[in-house]
Amino acid sequence: MVLPVLLLILFAIMEYGWLMVHQIVLINAVSTGARAAIRANPEELAPYTAKDYTVKAFWIGTLTRDQVLAEMPADNPKRVYVSVPAWDYEPITHFLPSALLPKSLNAASVMVFP
């Protein structure tokens, strides 16, 4: 009687920990991509550089360049927007109901050129 409750708690801790690790790594990858775009030379290559560095920095899963959005508006101040609007999250235990977990994660970062 006690074992199922303890297993539920244990798997919930593991699953939400795994979810938070993925979210943190995704946020850091998007920030790394934006930081790399700031340093891109020439500035026309900034969106492409941002996509490449975001994909390289996301070490915990599979992220493609098509999933990363990067743009550099023409108006002042010069800035770069980098985002991943929807990365499909795959649960580690599959023990919790799907209603308790998100189906996708997202992150965004904006950096201004010096």
Side-chain angles (χ1 to χ4, degrees):
M1 185 73 173
V2 175
L3 184 62
V5 174
L6 288 177
L7 286 176
L8 181 65
I9 293 171
L10 175 68
F11 285 129
I13 290 170
M14 287 174 51
E15 195 66 60
Y16 283 111
W18 191 243
L19 174 71
M20 293 304 295
V21 167
H22 276 80
Q23 183 67 45
I24 290 168
V25 170
L26 184 62
I27 290 169
N28 287 340
V30 169
S31 181
T32 299
R35 205 173 304 115
I38 291 287
R39 296 185 185 132
N41 192 9
E43 290 177 4
E44 294 81 29
L45 298 177
Y48 305 106
T49 303
K51 287 184 175 193
D52 290 338
Y53 274 81
T54 301
V55 170
K56 287 178 189 175
F58 191 69
W59 57 269
I60 202 164
T62 304
L63 184 67
T64 63
R65 289 183 86 238
D66 297 334
Q67 293 173 303
V68 180
L69 302 177
E71 65 178 72
M72 196 172 84
D75 58 347
N76 284 330
K78 291 184 181 177
R79 58 194 177 277
V80 63
Y81 295 103
V82 182
S83 67
V84 176
W87 180 77
D88 294 332
Y89 172 70
E90 184 65 32
I92 189 172
T93 62
H94 297 281
F95 188 73
L96 296 176
S98 61
L100 296 177
L101 297 170
K103 295 191 183 351
S104 64
L105 300 176
N106 58 15
S109 182
V110 178
M111 297 246 177
V112 178
F113 285 83

